[in-house]
Coordinates of all heavy atoms in Angstrom, one line a residue:
M99 N -37.0 0.8 216.9 CA -36.6 -0.2 217.8 C -35.5 -1.1 217.3 O -35.5 -1.6 216.1 CB -37.8 -1.1 218.2 CG -37.5 -2.2 219.1 SD -38.9 -3.2 219.5 CE -38.7 -4.5 218.3
I100 N -34.4 -1.3 218.1 CA -33.4 -2.2 217.6 C -33.8 -3.7 217.8 O -34.2 -4.1 218.9 CB -32.1 -2.0 218.4 CG1 -31.5 -0.6 218.1 CG2 -31.0 -3.1 218.1 CD1 -31.0 -0.4 216.7
V101 N -33.7 -4.4 216.8 CA -34.1 -5.9 216.8 C -32.9 -6.7 217.0 O -32.9 -7.6 217.9 CB -34.8 -6.3 215.5 CG1 -35.1 -7.8 215.5 CG2 -36.2 -5.5 215.4
C102 N -31.8 -6.4 216.2 CA -30.6 -7.2 216.4 C -29.6 -6.3 217.1 O -29.0 -5.4 216.4 CB -30.1 -7.7 215.0 SG -28.6 -8.6 215.1
V103 N -29.3 -6.6 218.3 CA -28.4 -5.8 219.1 C -27.0 -6.1 218.5 O -26.2 -5.1 218.5 CB -28.5 -6.2 220.6 CG1 -27.4 -5.5 221.4 CG2 -29.9 -5.9 221.1
C104 N -26.7 -7.3 218.2 CA -25.3 -7.6 217.8 C -24.9 -6.8 216.6 O -23.7 -6.4 216.4 CB -25.2 -9.1 217.5 SG -25.4 -10.2 218.9
K105 N -25.8 -6.6 215.6 CA -25.5 -5.9 214.4 C -26.1 -4.5 214.3 O -26.0 -3.9 213.3 CB -26.0 -6.7 213.2 CG -25.3 -8.1 213.0 CD -23.9 -8.0 212.7 CE -23.2 -9.4 212.5 NZ -21.9 -9.3 212.1
S106 N -26.8 -4.1 215.4 CA -27.4 -2.8 215.5 C -28.4 -2.6 214.3 O -28.3 -1.6 213.6 CB -26.4 -1.7 215.5 OG -25.6 -1.8 216.7
V107 N -29.3 -3.6 214.1 CA -30.2 -3.5 213.0 C -31.6 -3.2 213.6 O -32.1 -3.9 214.5 CB -30.3 -4.8 212.2 CG1 -31.3 -4.7 211.1 CG2 -28.9 -5.1 211.6
S108 N -32.3 -2.2 213.1 CA -33.6 -1.8 213.6 C -34.7 -2.5 212.8 O -34.5 -3.0 211.7 CB -33.7 -0.3 213.4 OG -33.9 0.0 212.1
E109 N -35.9 -2.4 213.5 CA -37.1 -3.0 212.9 C -37.4 -2.2 211.5 O -37.8 -2.9 210.6 CB -38.3 -2.8 213.8 CG -39.5 -3.5 213.4 CD -40.6 -3.5 214.4 OE1 -40.4 -3.0 215.5 OE2 -41.6 -4.1 214.2
R110 N -37.1 -1.0 211.5 CA -37.3 -0.2 210.3 C -36.5 -0.7 209.1 O -36.9 -0.7 208.0 CB -37.1 1.3 210.6 CG -37.4 2.2 209.4 CD -37.1 3.7 209.7 NE -38.0 4.1 210.8 CZ -38.0 5.2 211.4 NH1 -37.2 6.2 211.0 NH2 -38.9 5.6 212.4
Q111 N -35.2 -1.0 209.5 CA -34.3 -1.5 208.4 C -34.8 -2.9 207.9 O -34.7 -3.1 206.7 CB -32.9 -1.6 209.0 CG -32.2 -0.4 209.2 CD -30.8 -0.6 209.9 OE1 -30.8 -1.0 211.1 NE2 -29.8 -0.3 209.2
I112 N -35.3 -3.7 208.8 CA -35.8 -5.0 208.4 C -37.0 -4.8 207.5 O -37.1 -5.5 206.4 CB -36.1 -5.9 209.6 CG1 -34.8 -6.2 210.3 CG2 -36.8 -7.2 209.1 CD1 -34.9 -6.9 211.6
K113 N -37.9 -3.9 207.9 CA -39.1 -3.7 207.1 C -38.8 -3.2 205.7 O -39.3 -3.6 204.7 CB -40.0 -2.7 207.8 CG -40.9 -3.3 208.9 CD -41.8 -2.3 209.6 CE -42.6 -3.0 210.7 NZ -43.4 -2.0 211.4
A114 N -37.8 -2.2 205.7 CA -37.4 -1.7 204.4 C -36.8 -2.8 203.5 O -37.1 -2.8 202.3 CB -36.3 -0.6 204.6
C115 N -36.0 -3.7 204.1 CA -35.4 -4.8 203.3 C -36.5 -5.7 202.8 O -36.5 -6.1 201.6 CB -34.5 -5.5 204.2 SG -33.3 -6.6 203.4
L116 N -37.5 -6.0 203.6 CA -38.6 -6.8 203.1 C -39.5 -6.1 202.0 O -39.8 -6.7 201.1 CB -39.6 -7.2 204.3 CG -39.0 -8.1 205.4 CD1 -39.9 -8.1 206.6 CD2 -38.8 -9.5 204.8
D117 N -39.6 -4.8 202.2 CA -40.3 -4.0 201.2 C -39.6 -4.0 199.8 O -40.2 -3.9 198.8 CB -40.6 -2.6 201.7 CG -41.7 -2.5 202.8 OD1 -42.4 -3.5 202.9 OD2 -41.7 -1.5 203.4
A118 N -38.3 -4.1 200.0 CA -37.4 -4.1 198.8 C -37.3 -5.4 198.1 O -36.7 -5.6 197.1 CB -36.0 -3.6 199.2
G119 N -37.9 -6.5 198.7 CA -38.0 -7.7 198.0 C -37.4 -8.9 198.8 O -37.5 -10.0 198.3
A120 N -36.8 -8.7 200.0 CA -36.3 -9.9 200.7 C -37.6 -10.7 201.1 O -38.6 -10.2 201.5 CB -35.6 -9.4 202.0
T121 N -37.4 -12.0 201.0 CA -38.5 -12.9 201.3 C -38.2 -14.0 202.3 O -39.1 -14.7 202.8 CB -39.1 -13.5 200.1 OG1 -38.0 -14.3 199.4 CG2 -39.7 -12.5 199.1
T122 N -36.9 -14.1 202.7 CA -36.5 -15.2 203.6 C -35.5 -14.7 204.6 O -35.0 -13.6 204.5 CB -35.8 -16.3 202.8 OG1 -34.6 -15.8 202.3 CG2 -36.6 -16.9 201.7
M123 N -35.4 -15.5 205.7 CA -34.4 -15.1 206.7 C -33.0 -15.0 206.1 O -32.2 -14.2 206.5 CB -34.4 -16.2 207.8 CG -33.4 -16.0 208.9 SD -33.7 -14.6 209.9 CE -34.4 -15.5 211.3
E124 N -32.7 -15.9 205.2 CA -31.4 -15.8 204.6 C -31.2 -14.5 203.8 O -30.1 -14.0 203.9 CB -31.2 -17.0 203.6 CG -31.0 -18.4 204.3 CD -32.4 -19.0 204.8 OE1 -33.5 -18.5 204.4 OE2 -32.3 -19.9 205.7
D125 N -32.2 -14.0 203.2 CA -32.1 -12.7 202.5 C -31.7 -11.7 203.5 O -30.8 -10.8 203.2 CB -33.4 -12.3 201.8 CG -33.8 -13.2 200.6 OD1 -32.9 -13.8 200.1 OD2 -35.0 -13.2 200.3
L126 N -32.3 -11.7 204.7 CA -32.1 -10.7 205.7 C -30.7 -10.9 206.3 O -30.0 -9.9 206.7 CB -33.1 -10.7 206.8 CG -34.5 -10.3 206.3 CD1 -35.6 -10.5 207.4 CD2 -34.5 -8.9 205.8
Q127 N -30.2 -12.1 206.4 CA -28.9 -12.4 206.9 C -27.8 -11.8 205.9 O -26.8 -11.3 206.3 CB -28.7 -13.9 207.1 CG -29.5 -14.4 208.3 CD -29.4 -15.9 208.5 OE1 -29.5 -16.6 207.5 NE2 -29.3 -16.3 209.7
I128 N -28.1 -12.0 204.6 CA -27.2 -11.5 203.6 C -27.2 -10.0 203.6 O -26.1 -9.3 203.6 CB -27.6 -12.1 202.2 CG1 -27.3 -13.5 202.2 CG2 -26.8 -11.3 201.2 CD1 -28.0 -14.2 201.0
D129 N -28.4 -9.4 203.6 CA -28.5 -7.9 203.4 C -28.1 -7.2 204.7 O -27.5 -6.1 204.6 CB -29.9 -7.5 203.0 CG -30.2 -8.1 201.6 OD1 -29.2 -8.4 200.9 OD2 -31.4 -8.1 201.3
L130 N -28.5 -7.7 205.9 CA -28.3 -6.9 207.2 C -27.5 -7.6 208.2 O -27.1 -7.0 209.1 CB -29.7 -6.7 207.7 CG -30.7 -5.9 206.9 CD1 -32.1 -5.8 207.5 CD2 -30.2 -4.5 206.6
G131 N -27.2 -8.9 208.0 CA -26.4 -9.6 209.0 C -27.1 -10.0 210.2 O -26.5 -10.4 211.2
V132 N -28.5 -10.0 210.2 CA -29.2 -10.3 211.4 C -29.1 -11.8 211.7 O -28.9 -12.6 210.8 CB -30.7 -9.9 211.3 CG1 -30.9 -8.4 211.2 CG2 -31.3 -10.6 210.1
A133 N -29.2 -12.2 213.0 CA -29.3 -13.6 213.4 C -28.0 -14.4 213.1 O -28.1 -15.6 213.0 CB -30.6 -14.2 212.9
L134 N -26.9 -13.7 212.9 CA -25.7 -14.4 212.6 C -24.7 -14.4 213.7 O -23.6 -15.1 213.6 CB -25.0 -13.9 211.3 CG -25.8 -14.1 210.0 CD1 -25.1 -13.3 208.8 CD2 -25.8 -15.6 209.7
C135 N -25.0 -13.8 214.8 CA -24.1 -13.7 215.9 C -24.6 -14.6 217.0 O -24.4 -15.8 217.0 CB -23.9 -12.3 216.3 SG -22.5 -12.0 217.4
C136 N -25.3 -14.0 218.0 CA -25.9 -14.7 219.1 C -27.1 -15.5 218.7 O -27.5 -16.5 219.3 CB -26.1 -13.9 220.3 SG -27.6 -12.8 220.2
G137 N -27.9 -15.0 217.7 CA -29.1 -15.6 217.3 C -30.3 -15.3 218.0 O -31.4 -15.7 217.7
K138 N -30.3 -14.4 219.1 CA -31.5 -14.1 219.9 C -32.5 -13.4 219.1 O -33.7 -13.4 219.5 CB -31.0 -13.4 221.1 CG -30.3 -14.2 222.2 CD -30.0 -13.4 223.4 CE -29.3 -14.3 224.4 NZ -28.9 -13.6 225.6
C139 N -32.1 -12.7 218.1 CA -33.1 -11.9 217.3 C -33.8 -12.8 216.3 O -34.8 -12.4 215.7 CB -32.4 -10.8 216.6 SG -31.2 -11.3 215.4
G140 N -33.3 -14.0 216.1 CA -33.8 -14.9 215.0 C -35.3 -15.1 215.0 O -36.0 -14.9 214.0
P141 N -35.9 -15.5 216.2 CA -37.4 -15.7 216.2 C -38.2 -14.5 215.8 O -39.2 -14.6 215.1 CB -37.6 -16.1 217.6 CG -36.4 -16.8 218.1 CD -35.3 -15.9 217.4
Y142 N -37.8 -13.3 216.3 CA -38.5 -12.1 216.0 C -38.3 -11.7 214.5 O -39.3 -11.4 213.8 CB -38.0 -10.9 216.9 CG -38.9 -9.7 216.7 CD1 -40.1 -9.6 217.4 CD2 -38.5 -8.7 215.8 CE1 -40.9 -8.5 217.3 CE2 -39.3 -7.6 215.7 CZ -40.5 -7.5 216.4 OH -41.3 -6.4 216.3
V143 N -37.1 -11.9 214.0 CA -36.9 -11.6 212.6 C -37.7 -12.5 211.7 O -38.4 -12.2 210.7 CB -35.4 -11.7 212.2 CG1 -35.2 -11.6 210.7 CG2 -34.6 -10.6 212.9
Q144 N -37.8 -13.8 212.2 CA -38.5 -14.8 211.4 C -40.1 -14.5 211.4 O -40.7 -14.6 210.4 CB -38.3 -16.2 212.0 CG -39.0 -17.3 211.1 CD -38.5 -17.4 209.7 OE1 -37.4 -17.5 209.5 NE2 -39.4 -17.3 208.8
E145 N -40.6 -14.0 212.6 CA -41.9 -13.5 212.6 C -42.2 -12.4 211.6 O -43.2 -12.3 211.0 CB -42.3 -13.0 214.0 CG -42.7 -14.1 214.9 CD -43.2 -13.6 216.3 OE1 -43.8 -12.5 216.3 OE2 -42.9 -14.2 217.3
M146 N -41.2 -11.5 211.5 CA -41.4 -10.3 210.6 C -41.4 -10.9 209.1 O -42.2 -10.4 208.3 CB -40.2 -9.3 210.7 CG -40.3 -8.6 212.0 SD -39.0 -7.3 212.1 CE -39.7 -6.1 210.9
V147 N -40.6 -11.9 208.8 CA -40.6 -12.5 207.5 C -41.9 -13.1 207.2 O -42.5 -13.0 206.2 CB -39.4 -13.5 207.3 CG1 -39.5 -14.2 206.0 CG2 -38.0 -12.7 207.4
S148 N -42.4 -13.9 208.2 CA -43.6 -14.6 208.0 C -44.8 -13.7 207.9 O -45.7 -13.9 207.1 CB -43.9 -15.5 209.3 OG -42.9 -16.5 209.4
G149 N -44.8 -12.5 208.5 CA -45.8 -11.6 208.4 C -45.8 -10.8 207.1 O -46.8 -10.3 206.7
A150 N -44.7 -10.8 206.4 CA -44.5 -10.1 205.2 C -44.8 -11.0 204.0 O -44.9 -10.4 202.9 CB -43.1 -9.5 205.1
T151 N -44.9 -12.3 204.2 CA -45.2 -13.1 203.0 C -46.4 -13.9 203.2 O -46.8 -14.3 204.4 CB -43.9 -14.1 202.9 OG1 -43.8 -14.8 204.1 CG2 -42.7 -13.3 202.5
P152 N -47.1 -14.3 202.2 CA -48.3 -15.1 202.3 C -47.9 -16.5 202.9 O -46.8 -17.0 202.6 CB -48.8 -15.2 200.9 CG -47.9 -14.5 200.0 CD -46.8 -13.9 200.8
C153 N -48.8 -17.0 203.6 CA -48.6 -18.4 204.2 C -49.9 -19.2 204.0 O -50.8 -18.7 203.5 CB -48.2 -18.2 205.7 SG -47.6 -19.7 206.4
C154 N -49.8 -20.4 204.5 CA -50.9 -21.3 204.3 C -52.1 -21.0 205.3 O -53.2 -21.5 205.1 CB -50.5 -22.7 204.5 SG -49.9 -23.1 206.2
G155 N -51.8 -20.1 206.3 CA -52.8 -19.7 207.2 C -53.0 -20.6 208.4 O -53.7 -20.4 209.3
R156 N -52.2 -21.7 208.4 CA -52.2 -22.6 209.6 C -50.9 -22.3 210.4 O -50.1 -21.5 210.0 CB -52.1 -24.0 209.1 CG -53.3 -24.4 208.3 CD -53.2 -25.8 207.7 NE -52.2 -25.7 206.7 CZ -51.8 -26.7 205.9 NH1 -52.2 -27.9 206.1 NH2 -50.9 -26.5 205.0
S157 N -50.8 -22.9 211.5 CA -49.6 -22.7 212.3 C -48.6 -23.7 211.8 O -48.2 -24.7 212.4 CB -49.9 -23.0 213.8 OG -50.9 -22.1 214.3
C158 N -48.1 -23.3 210.6 CA -47.2 -24.2 209.9 C -45.8 -24.1 210.3 O -45.0 -25.0 209.9 CB -47.3 -24.0 208.4 SG -46.7 -22.4 207.9
G159 N -45.4 -23.1 211.0 CA -44.0 -22.9 211.4 C -43.1 -22.5 210.2 O -41.9 -22.7 210.3
G160 N -43.7 -22.0 209.2 CA -42.9 -21.5 208.1 C -42.8 -22.4 206.9 O -41.9 -22.3 206.1
C161 N -43.7 -23.4 206.8 CA -43.6 -24.4 205.7 C -43.7 -23.7 204.3 O -43.1 -24.1 203.4 CB -44.7 -25.4 205.8 SG -46.4 -24.8 205.6
C162 N -44.5 -22.6 204.3 CA -44.7 -21.9 203.0 C -43.4 -21.3 202.6 O -43.0 -21.2 201.4 CB -45.8 -20.9 203.1 SG -47.3 -21.7 203.4
Q163 N -42.7 -20.7 203.6 CA -41.4 -20.0 203.3 C -40.3 -21.0 202.8 O -39.5 -20.7 202.0 CB -40.9 -19.2 204.5 CG -41.9 -18.1 204.7 CD -41.4 -17.3 205.9 OE1 -40.3 -17.2 206.2 NE2 -42.4 -16.6 206.5
S164 N -40.3 -22.2 203.5 CA -39.3 -23.1 203.1 C -39.6 -23.7 201.7 O -38.7 -24.2 201.0 CB -39.2 -24.3 204.1 OG -40.4 -25.0 204.1
A165 N -40.8 -23.5 201.2 CA -41.1 -24.0 199.9 C -40.8 -23.0 198.8 O -40.8 -23.3 197.6 CB -42.7 -24.3 199.8
Q166 N -40.5 -21.7 199.3 CA -40.2 -20.7 198.3 C -38.8 -21.0 197.6 O -38.0 -21.6 198.3 CB -40.2 -19.3 198.9 CG -41.5 -18.9 199.4 CD -41.4 -17.6 200.1 OE1 -40.3 -17.0 200.4 NE2 -42.6 -17.0 200.4
A167 N -38.7 -20.5 196.5 CA -37.4 -20.7 195.7 C -36.3 -19.9 196.5 O -36.5 -18.8 196.9 CB -37.5 -20.2 194.3
E168 N -35.2 -20.5 196.6 CA -34.1 -19.9 197.3 C -33.2 -19.1 196.3 O -33.0 -19.6 195.2 CB -33.2 -21.0 197.9 CG -32.2 -20.5 198.9 CD -31.6 -21.6 199.7 OE1 -30.7 -22.4 199.1 OE2 -31.9 -21.8 200.8
T169 N -32.8 -17.9 196.7 CA -32.0 -17.1 195.9 C -30.6 -17.7 195.8 O -30.2 -18.4 196.8 CB -31.9 -15.7 196.4 OG1 -31.3 -15.7 197.6 CG2 -33.3 -15.1 196.5
P170 N -29.8 -17.5 194.7 CA -28.5 -18.1 194.7 C -27.6 -17.6 195.8 O -26.8 -18.4 196.4 CB -28.0 -17.6 193.4 CG -29.2 -17.4 192.5 CD -30.2 -16.9 193.5
A171 N -27.7 -16.3 196.2 CA -26.9 -15.8 197.3 C -27.3 -16.4 198.6 O -26.4 -16.7 199.5 CB -27.1 -14.2 197.4
A172 N -28.5 -16.7 198.9 CA -29.0 -17.3 200.1 C -28.4 -18.7 200.2 O -28.1 -19.2 201.2 CB -30.5 -17.3 200.2
E173 N -28.4 -19.4 199.0 CA -27.9 -20.8 199.0 C -26.4 -20.8 199.4 O -25.9 -21.7 200.1 CB -28.1 -21.4 197.6 CG -27.7 -22.8 197.5 CD -27.9 -23.4 196.1 OE1 -28.8 -22.9 195.4 OE2 -27.2 -24.4 195.8
V174 N -25.6 -19.8 198.9 CA -24.2 -19.7 199.2 C -24.0 -19.5 200.7 O -23.2 -20.2 201.4 CB -23.5 -18.5 198.5 CG1 -22.2 -18.3 199.0 CG2 -23.5 -18.9 197.0
V175 N -24.8 -18.6 201.3 CA -24.8 -18.4 202.8 C -25.2 -19.6 203.5 O -24.5 -20.0 204.5 CB -25.7 -17.2 203.2 CG1 -25.8 -17.1 204.7 CG2 -25.1 -15.9 202.6
R176 N -26.2 -20.3 203.1 CA -26.6 -21.6 203.8 C -25.4 -22.6 203.8 O -25.1 -23.2 204.8 CB -27.8 -22.1 203.1 CG -28.4 -23.4 203.8 CD -29.5 -24.0 203.1 NE -30.5 -23.1 202.6 CZ -31.5 -22.6 203.4 NH1 -31.6 -22.9 204.7 NH2 -32.4 -21.8 202.9
R177 N -24.8 -22.7 202.6 CA -23.6 -23.6 202.5 C -22.5 -23.2 203.5 O -21.9 -24.1 204.1 CB -23.1 -23.7 201.1 CG -24.0 -24.5 200.2 CD -23.3 -24.7 198.9 NE -24.3 -25.0 197.9 CZ -24.2 -24.8 196.6 NH1 -23.1 -24.2 196.1 NH2 -25.2 -25.1 195.8
E178 N -22.2 -21.9 203.5 CA -21.1 -21.4 204.3 C -21.5 -21.7 205.8 O -20.6 -22.0 206.6 CB -20.8 -20.0 204.1 CG -20.1 -19.8 202.7 CD -19.9 -18.3 202.4 OE1 -20.2 -17.5 203.2 OE2 -19.4 -18.0 201.3
L179 N -22.7 -21.4 206.2 CA -23.1 -21.7 207.6 C -23.0 -23.2 207.9 O -22.6 -23.5 209.0 CB -24.5 -21.2 207.8 CG -24.7 -19.7 207.8 CD1 -26.2 -19.3 207.8 CD2 -24.0 -19.0 208.9
A180 N -23.3 -24.0 207.0 CA -23.3 -25.4 207.2 C -21.8 -25.9 207.4 O -21.5 -26.7 208.2 CB -23.9 -26.2 206.1
L181 N -20.9 -25.3 206.6 CA -19.5 -25.6 206.7 C -18.9 -25.1 208.0 O -18.0 -25.8 208.6 CB -18.7 -25.0 205.5 CG -19.0 -25.6 204.2 CD1 -18.3 -24.9 203.1 CD2 -18.6 -27.1 204.1
A182 N -19.4 -24.0 208.5 CA -18.9 -23.4 209.7 C -19.4 -24.2 211.0 O -18.8 -24.0 212.0 CB -19.3 -21.9 209.8
A183 N -20.4 -24.9 210.8 CA -21.0 -25.6 212.0 C -20.2 -26.8 212.4 O -19.4 -27.3 211.7 CB -22.4 -26.0 211.7
Ligands
LIG482 S1 -29.2 -10.0 218.5 FE1 -29.1 -10.6 216.4 S2 -27.5 -11.9 216.3 FE2 -27.5 -11.3 218.3

């Protein structure tokens, strides 16, 4: 199933990326380019990220993920996105 229509990224590709070690939305944006165009796939991709990583078990909205260490590449993308906004 295609999750990101803008970048033609499938659910299988996202799962493979998560299995290979991606742990954040930013990792998937860097590796696959998801959620960087119209953004409509963002919530679904975030759910996939949340399901692949341990969480606090509450409806935290991703607090556990935001507490994870950010990779240097993800930090660069975050800065570039902030500059583009
Ligand atoms: S559907 Fe993923 S950015 Fe548009």
